[in-house]
């Protein structure tokens, strides 16, 4: 099965100390770490949340 929801990573990989979010993609370290194991619905749920996250 081919995954269609791609990683939102933009190559700026540094965690913001206050929020705990990556300053590049706004994912948590836990989301980044398990990304490869997630199915498309789980990935899409994370991607859908990203615009509302604040650093």
């Amino acid at each position: 099965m081919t995954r269609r929801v791609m990683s939102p990573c933009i190559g700026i990989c540094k965690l913001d100390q206050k929020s705990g979010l990556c300053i590049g993609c706004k994912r948590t370290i836990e989301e980044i770490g398990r990304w490869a194991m997630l199915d498309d619905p789980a990935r899409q749920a994370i991607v859908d949340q990203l615009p509302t996250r604040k650093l």
Side-chain angles (χ1 to χ4, degrees), residues 3-53:
R3 297 240 167 95
R4 295 174 191 236
V5 179
M6 300 303 293
S7 170
C9 179
I10 60 170
I12 303 172
C13 305
K14 183 175 179 184
L15 292 179
D16 177 71
Q17 289 185 1
K18 281 188 174 183
S19 68
L21 300 173
C22 173
I23 64 170
C25 68
K26 295 186 181 174
R27 291 180 292 169
T28 65
I29 191 68
E30 293 83 12
E31 291 167 342
I32 293 167
R34 61 188 168 99
W35 187 262
M37 297 174 276
L38 297 174
D39 60 12
D40 275 345
R43 287 179 173 196
Q44 190 62 54
I46 292 169
V47 170
D48 290 346
Q49 293 174 16
L50 298 180
T52 65
R53 294 183 179 180

